[in-house]
Amino acid sequence: MSKRPDLKSDLIFVTPEMAREWLKRNKNNRKLKIHKVAKLRDDLRHGRFRTTHEGLAFNCNGDLKDGQHRLTAIAEEGIGAWMMVTTGLPDEAVIAINRGSIRSVQDNGTMAGYDVNKQDIAVAYVAMSAPAGIAHSACTSEFEVLEFIEKHRTAIEAVRVAPKKRLSVAAVMAAFMRAFPHCPNTAWQRCLHLFMNGVDESFDASKERAIIVFRDYCLTSKSNGYGYAASIDLYRRCQRAIKAFMNAEELKLIKPCEQDLFPLTTKGELI
């Protein structure tokens, strides 16, 4: 039987002052990831930080070996949090920290009881950020994404379509998702149906052409939403196409809209 490690763990409320002091013991640690700190700060600010079995770890000399991102977030944000604090960690055990399989947002969401899939998350990231002219940020908190999906579940589920190459990409589905509460449901459903399936027997070219023009663009475009700039461009073109469809505009070319056509309220809720 191996020797019992002399580790001690306790649940402690870590204040900003404590965090700043403990960060002075941060020696020979990995490079701080600013986007990771930003995520944690955002969670602290909005009350989304969760206490788990993971927390802080100090070695036998009192040097910080795990938790620098959590402590930096607490120190910079000025908000304390409950955390498990372990002392007496042998230096040779450090190589075993954070070596497990990293869970995806979908993994964490499903384990936490959320009904989400990979496409929901991709759509949410674009719907949250593209209107502001930015692509999915590494600083976006997983909690924020999952909360967005829950808040707009009806619209998210409405764009759960069967995958079709070059059509069901996140940028396009995000535009349809944002448009959902702004449009008459029947017209919205018709618009999505034509985009995904093409013209049918009841197709009215004088009123419904815009979405087909955009569909053809998606099928022939070389970028098709891959990459940050292309994703934002495709999102804006799709918004313009949906708006034109709803207004029965007969467009021959779908250009990106210059402003968000289907906005969120100041509280982040769809109108």
Side-chain angles (χ1 to χ4, degrees):
M1 180 182 295
S2 60
K3 182 181 178 181
R4 182 180 185 275
D6 190 21
L7 297 175
K8 295 181 180 179
S9 297
D10 197 7
L11 185 62
I12 297 175
F13 186 80
V14 181
T15 66
E17 293 74 21
M18 293 167 65
R20 284 187 280 271
E21 282 298 314
W22 285 349
L23 281 169
K24 295 177 182 179
R25 308 181 194 177
N26 191 23
K27 302 176 181 179
N28 300 322
N29 213 322
R30 58 181 173 172
K31 184 178 179 180
L32 194 72
K33 297 179 180 178
I34 303 302
H35 71 274
K36 178 67 173 177
V37 174
K39 285 184 180 181
L40 291 168
R41 288 187 62 175
D42 189 69
D43 287 339
L44 286 166
R45 189 182 312 126
H46 294 93
R48 293 190 297 252
F49 185 87
R50 299 292 182 267
T51 301
T52 72
H53 63 291
E54 298 178 317
L56 312 176
F58 298 87
N59 69 4
C60 300
N61 297 322
D63 299 332
L64 180 67
K65 292 301 178 182
D66 191 25
Q68 63 170 337
H69 293 92
R70 297 178 179 90
L71 287 178
T72 302
I74 289 174
E76 293 183 355
E77 194 60 33
I79 299 175
W82 286 98
M83 265 187 279
M84 291 299 299
V85 180
T86 297
T87 57
L89 183 74
D91 285 336
E92 61 269 20
V94 173
I95 61 174
I97 297 175
N98 296 330
R99 302 302 296 171
S101 177
I102 302 299
R103 295 192 182 103
S104 66
V105 180
Q106 181 184 353
D107 292 334
N108 286 333
T110 300
M111 293 179 70
Y114 291 90
D115 175 20
V116 293
N117 58 42
K118 185 177 180 180
Q119 178 73 351
D120 293 343
I121 294 164
V123 168
Y125 271 126
V126 178
M128 292 169 67
S129 56
I134 58 175
H136 154 45
S137 170
C139 297
T140 304
S141 165
E142 293 184 2
F143 289 115
E144 187 179 359
V145 175
L146 293 172
E147 285 181 358
F148 182 89
I149 292 172
E150 283 302 297
K151 184 180 293 184
H152 309 302
R153 176 154 296 282
T154 301
I156 287 287
E157 291 183 348
V159 295
R160 284 181 175 177
V161 297
K164 286 192 176 182
K165 188 176 181 179
R166 306 185 71 83
L167 295 178
S168 58
V169 296
V172 171
M173 293 301 105
F176 271 101
M177 176 260 164
R178 288 282 294 254
F180 180 79
H182 293 265
C183 306
N185 187 260
T186 301
W188 184 91
Q189 293 285 354
R190 174 65 176 165
C191 184
L192 180 61
H193 172 79
L194 286 173
F195 175 76
M196 294 300 298
N197 301 288
V199 299
D200 53 21
E201 293 181 356
S202 58
F203 175 69
D204 186 341
S206 65
K207 297 180 180 180
E208 301 177 326
R209 182 178 178 180
I211 198 64
I212 295 300
V213 172
F214 176 65
R215 183 179 194 271
D216 292 341
Y217 172 83
C218 290
L219 291 173
T220 57
S221 173
K222 293 182 179 180
S223 61
N224 199 41
Y226 296 110
Y228 287 174
S231 178
I232 294 171
D233 178 81
L234 194 61
Y235 171 87
R236 290 176 171 174
R237 288 178 190 272
C238 186
Q239 279 209 332
R240 181 68 185 96
I242 296 171
K243 193 73 171 182
F245 179 92
M246 295 302 162
N247 294 334
E249 298 178 56
E250 190 174 354
L251 300 182
K252 295 182 180 180
L253 179 65
I254 304 296
K255 297 182 179 180
C257 57
E258 296 183 357
Q259 62 182 21
D260 190 32
L261 300 180
F262 305 110
L264 298 170
T265 66
T266 55
K267 294 183 179 180
E269 297 175 351
L270 286 168
I271 297 174

